[in-house]
Amino acid sequence: MRLIIAEKPSLARAIAEALPAAVRREDGALVAGDTTVTWCLGHLLEQAPPEAYDPALKSWRLDTLPILPEQWKLAPRPKARGQIAVIRRLLKQAGEVVHAGDPDREGQLLVQEVIEHLGWKGPVSRLLVSDLNAPAVKRALSRLEDNARYAPLYRAAQARSRADWLYGINLTRAWTLIGRQAGHDGVLSVGRVQTPVLGLVVRRDAEIRDFEPRPFYVLWADLAVSRGRLRAWWAPGETHPLDDQGRLIERAPAAALAERLPGAEGRLSKLERRNKRQAAPLPYSLSALQVDAARRHGLSAKAVLDICQRLYERHQLITYPRSDCRYLPEEHFAGARRTLEGACAGDDTLRGWLAGADFSKRSKAWNDKKVGAHHALAPTGKTADPATLSRQEADVFRLIARNVLAQFYPALSTREVKAEFTVIGERFRARGQEILDPGWKPLFTTRDEAPPLPLLDEGEACRVEDAGVEDRETRPPEPFTDASLIKAMMNIARYVDDPEVRRTLRDTDGLGTEATRAGILETLETRGYLVREGKALRATRLGDALIASLPEAVSRPERTALWEQRLSAIAEDGDAPAPFLDALVTDLRTLLGRADAGRMRQSLADARGAEPAARSGKSGGKGRRGAKSRSAGKGGSKSTGRRGAAGKATKGTKAGSGTARRKRSTSS
């Protein structure tokens, strides 16, 4: 019997349905002829807790740190034992095994660790499926490879998993213990991803809190030209007092000029026209959808993820949602019209947009070279029943369908005009935009662009009809929201100064992954580090104190870039994992040496931030007994949670016939 082990139930179903024989269901598996297809539910295994190595490590003590396993152990996740038993039984009957994890680093780890943990010694083939479309799965089944080719990828993923455990377990225990010495009763969790994300918010809040507004002044002039009227803005020269962004910081020069302007004659000294064509926004990745849904509908990142899971599993309206890709397989193009006609049939707005689509157009979204483990979110073609969808589900489904529909609309075509006028020896600038072809734009409620200028000819005369000075102030940065923080995590390189590190971060997926970013924000909120104030996410006093007490390197994203460099060398160049882990241990010893109860005490005393809403039974609890029951009293076993920190691991969500746990791509 050939046994195929898929990463998740949905993939297992697609594989079974692509096999030539009829499919019948068994407990935890699908059988088609001589092939049995079973599945994982995300990670079935996790790094064993410290007490699995030494019962004495059940108690949290500084003198036991760092905890460094000599022989690494894995343990079944509590709700995965049943499916592990199914796979164990099937392996005993198998003659060959096919690894069908996602074609990425974590997908390689997720299935292979189960195969090895259960002691399979026979041959293993590798099935690489990036598209659940039946023809694509059939092609993949005809192109099986030797799984040994992917050993470096597995070693890199395994090294990442172990490194996150070492980092999260040791730093969480250390800072929790010095926190207790400093008077804080509760777990202080530290993770490679969650802590830099918290650091972003703490630093942004500090910028806002410490911001001192500075005045600046702008001078406008309403100009009459031969074919209309427009407003232009003075561009003061370097002889005037300007700030580093060219803004006038003294009012007197603007006021003096404003008095001289009414009735003054001038001319259009410089005119630039540029036609631009802008293609439609690409179909969504999960993070891109979370950003737009937060901005347009006020939904949290976690709410969007949960809605997408329901649209995928319960309603079967969209494709796999936890995708980091914004492109679609080329073979989906031929069936796109039929798919979208089905998807739009139950929604008046979507039907209106569908009527304007030109299915002879082919955008750059259809690109096999850009499709990785998953393709962009897209409708399946099933018609949505409005009676079964909540308003929020309908809103999110409409966004997903809209971005695919937009691929069949013309480009947005505009003409941008920049005009520079010279009046009594001073420069005045105006700009406008004319929409030549709205293309896809009517599908999107985007902000208005600059209004068009009157038709202008270079050299023509102008006359000032009115002028005035506006007193303005510089403004602090906006607080983070779900949308802007998810976007910051996606584009974390912007927050790094070192050009080499910035380049590495641009080549990676940023901080966290599509599957983990929403959970990271929820975890930080649950643990009392972040609080919501309307749409804003702000650090609490506890979150502020934690960041202040940690070495700066722990709360910044550079470490992720350095890890990715080393992990890429393991996966792509065959480097050994041991030097990477040895370097981490050396780094850990240095960081642990900086755990200082006095600094923690001072950080707690000086902390500034918002107060969290009342919580019950959450991490960062009110009393030591609660903290012990969650951590030290249970041996800290929960500190092996996928976010590399102490406290309860986040529960998975329903998927297919079992509980699908989030794939652990990076520690949080």
Side-chain angles (χ1 to χ4, degrees):
M1 181 260 284
R2 178 174 68 165
L3 178 64
I4 300 178
I5 305 176
E7 179 166 326
K8 57 183 76 71
S10 58
L11 176 58
R13 286 194 297 270
I15 293 170
E17 290 166 1
L19 294 169
V23 179
R24 74 175 190 274
R25 186 179 183 89
E26 291 186 354
D27 180 29
L30 300 167
V31 180
D34 64 351
T35 299
T36 298
V37 187
T38 188
W39 52 82
C40 298
L41 306 165
H43 279 279
L44 298 181
L45 301 169
E46 62 186 357
Q47 294 294 336
E51 63 268 26
Y53 299 99
D54 182 349
L57 294 175
K58 191 168 186 177
S59 296
W60 290 29
R61 292 168 44 191
L62 284 171
D63 61 6
T64 63
L65 304 180
I67 299 169
L68 306 172
E70 293 184 6
Q71 296 293 326
W72 287 88
K73 299 178 182 180
L74 294 172
R77 292 184 181 276
K79 293 187 178 180
R81 296 182 187 279
Q83 191 61 18
I84 288 177
V86 169
I87 298 174
R88 179 183 285 109
R89 170 177 57 80
L90 293 172
L91 281 172
K92 292 177 180 178
Q93 306 168 24
E96 63 173 307
V97 170
V98 178
H99 179 315
D102 281 354
D104 58 17
R105 194 168 71 196
E106 288 304 307
Q108 188 66 34
L109 173 68
L110 193 149
V111 174
Q112 189 164 337
E113 67 183 1
V114 173
I115 294 172
E116 295 192 359
H117 180 74
L118 296 178
W120 173 258
K121 302 298 183 186
V124 180
S125 300
R126 186 64 164 97
L127 172 62
L128 299 167
V129 178
S130 60
D131 177 9
L132 299 189
N133 179 280
V137 177
K138 289 178 181 178
R139 279 199 304 274
L141 282 164
S142 70
R143 301 171 182 171
L144 296 181
E145 301 181 55
D146 185 349
N147 189 55
R149 287 189 56 190
Y150 297 90
L153 197 65
Y154 173 62
R155 287 194 293 270
Q158 187 180 63
R160 195 277 314 149
S161 176
R162 292 173 176 178
D164 279 336
W165 187 94
L166 288 168
Y167 193 81
I169 287 287
N170 285 292
L171 294 185
T172 292
R173 287 195 172 199
W175 259 260
T176 297
L177 291 168
I178 66 166
R180 290 178 186 170
Q181 293 174 14
H184 173 74
D185 289 336
V187 174
L188 292 174
S189 62
V190 181
R192 178 174 62 94
V193 176
Q194 67 157 299
T195 306
V197 172
L198 176 60
L200 287 176
V201 181
V202 167
R203 285 186 285 274
R204 173 63 60 85
D205 285 354
E207 288 179 40
I208 296 170
R209 189 168 54 241
D210 300 337
F211 182 81
E212 295 183 4
R214 299 184 182 278
F216 68 97
Y217 306 91
V218 296
L219 167 62
W220 53 265
D222 287 340
L223 305 179
V225 292
S226 61
R227 281 163 283 200
R229 190 170 182 267
L230 58 87
R231 174 161 290 188
W233 303 85
W234 181 39
E238 295 181 357
T239 56
H240 296 290
L242 308 177
D243 65 12
D244 58 359
Q245 295 188 38
R247 294 174 296 207
L248 186 70
I249 57 176
E250 290 183 7
R251 197 177 196 281
L257 180 58
E259 290 182 1
R260 299 169 55 204
L261 283 173
E265 303 279 342
R267 68 180 184 88
L268 175 54
S269 52
K270 187 177 180 181
L271 181 64
E272 294 181 10
R273 294 188 182 95
R274 186 173 65 160
N275 288 2
K276 294 179 64 176
R277 288 175 58 82
Q278 183 180 349
L282 289 167
Y284 284 117
S285 64
L286 175 60
S287 288
L289 176 63
Q290 287 168 323
V291 170
D292 268 9
R295 288 174 174 167
R296 296 173 188 277
H297 301 299
L299 296 172
S300 72
K302 179 64 163 53
V304 176
L305 176 58
D306 290 345
I307 289 167
C308 284
Q309 284 297 126
R310 295 196 296 273
L311 292 173
Y312 171 61
E313 295 162 1
R314 182 189 305 169
H315 303 294
Q316 298 179 347
L317 291 173
I318 65 169
T319 57
Y320 181 73
R322 298 170 187 261
S323 174
D324 61 355
C325 179
R326 299 197 68 175
Y327 292 85
L328 295 166
E330 293 173 13
E331 69 180 5
H332 282 201
F333 178 77
R337 179 173 194 155
R338 182 175 64 254
T339 298
L340 288 169
E341 285 175 344
C344 298
D347 183 287
D348 290 342
T349 300
L350 289 176
R351 280 200 302 271
W353 292 340
L354 177 70
D358 179 356
F359 288 98
S360 67
K361 294 185 178 296
R362 185 185 182 108
S363 80
K364 64 179 181 180
W366 317 94
N367 188 338
D368 286 346
K369 294 179 181 178
K370 297 290 185 70
V371 174
H374 304 288
H375 59 67
L377 279 67
T380 60
K382 181 179 177 182
T383 300
D385 179 359
T388 65
L389 295 183
S390 70
R391 181 181 61 80
Q392 292 180 339
E393 287 170 344
D395 287 341
V396 171
F397 177 67
R398 194 175 294 118
L399 288 177
I400 294 168
R402 179 203 63 184
N403 272 40
V404 178
L405 272 170
Q407 307 311 308
F408 298 99
Y409 273 70
L412 167 63
S413 180
T414 59
R415 176 178 294 132
E416 290 189 353
V417 180
K418 295 181 181 179
E420 185 174 295
F421 296 85
T422 302
V423 181
I424 55 176
E426 297 290 339
R427 293 177 300 158
F428 291 80
R429 292 173 178 159
R431 61 180 299 173
Q433 184 183 81
E434 177 185 357
I435 294 180
L436 305 177
D437 183 345
W440 51 266
K441 190 176 175 67
L443 278 64
F444 293 73
T445 53
T446 55
R447 66 181 185 276
D448 292 333
E449 305 295 341
L453 297 177
L455 188 61
L456 298 170
D457 294 316
E458 188 165 349
E460 72 172 278
C462 65
R463 182 176 182 278
V464 179
E465 293 187 337
D466 196 7
V469 179
E470 293 183 5
D471 297 358
R472 298 185 181 179
E473 282 188 337
T474 55
R475 298 173 62 184
E478 294 291 328
F480 276 116
T481 63
D482 278 78
S484 60
L485 191 51
I486 289 283
K487 193 167 185 179
M489 294 166 73
M490 294 166 64
N491 302 290
I492 196 63
R494 297 178 183 176
Y495 298 86
V496 172
D497 295 328
D498 186 291
E500 184 74 22
V501 174
R502 192 162 58 240
R503 187 160 44 251
T504 300
L505 284 170
R506 274 201 298 264
D507 294 338
T508 66
D509 292 332
L511 280 179
T513 67
E514 307 298 320
T516 62
R517 286 179 184 133
I520 289 166
L521 302 191
E522 293 297 312
T523 296
L524 289 170
E525 186 179 2
T526 298
R527 290 176 176 161
Y529 297 151
L530 294 184
V531 67
R532 294 180 185 276
E533 294 182 350
K535 290 185 177 181
L537 287 167
R538 293 190 179 274
T540 63
R541 289 176 58 84
L542 180 60
D544 186 85
L546 177 61
I547 294 301
S549 70
L550 286 163
E552 186 177 19
V554 177
S555 66
R556 291 194 173 271
E558 284 81 351
R559 187 177 307 275
T560 289
L562 298 175
W563 280 30
E564 285 300 328
Q565 287 176 340
R566 301 297 297 273
L567 293 171
S568 294
I570 295 169
E572 299 169 12
D573 303 328
D575 285 11
F580 165 64
L581 293 173
D582 290 345
L584 170 61
V585 170
T586 300
D587 189 24
L588 265 179
R589 292 185 189 278
T590 301
L591 294 174
L592 291 170
R594 297 179 63 184
D596 183 343
R599 180 174 175 177
M600 173 62 78
R601 189 176 295 108
Q602 191 63 50
S603 298
L604 288 166
D606 295 343
R608 301 167 71 180
E611 291 300 327
R615 304 183 310 279
S616 60
K618 301 294 184 182
S619 297
K622 302 291 184 183
R624 180 167 299 183
R625 178 175 298 175
K628 286 183 177 179
S629 68
R630 288 185 298 275
S631 51
K634 291 186 178 181
S637 61
K638 295 297 184 183
S639 63
T640 60
R642 65 183 58 83
R643 288 176 175 78
K648 292 184 178 179
T650 304
K651 293 181 179 179
T653 54
K654 293 290 184 184
S657 61
T659 300
R661 293 191 175 269
R662 294 191 182 109
K663 191 196 298 183
R664 180 169 42 177
S665 299
T666 57
S667 167
S668 313

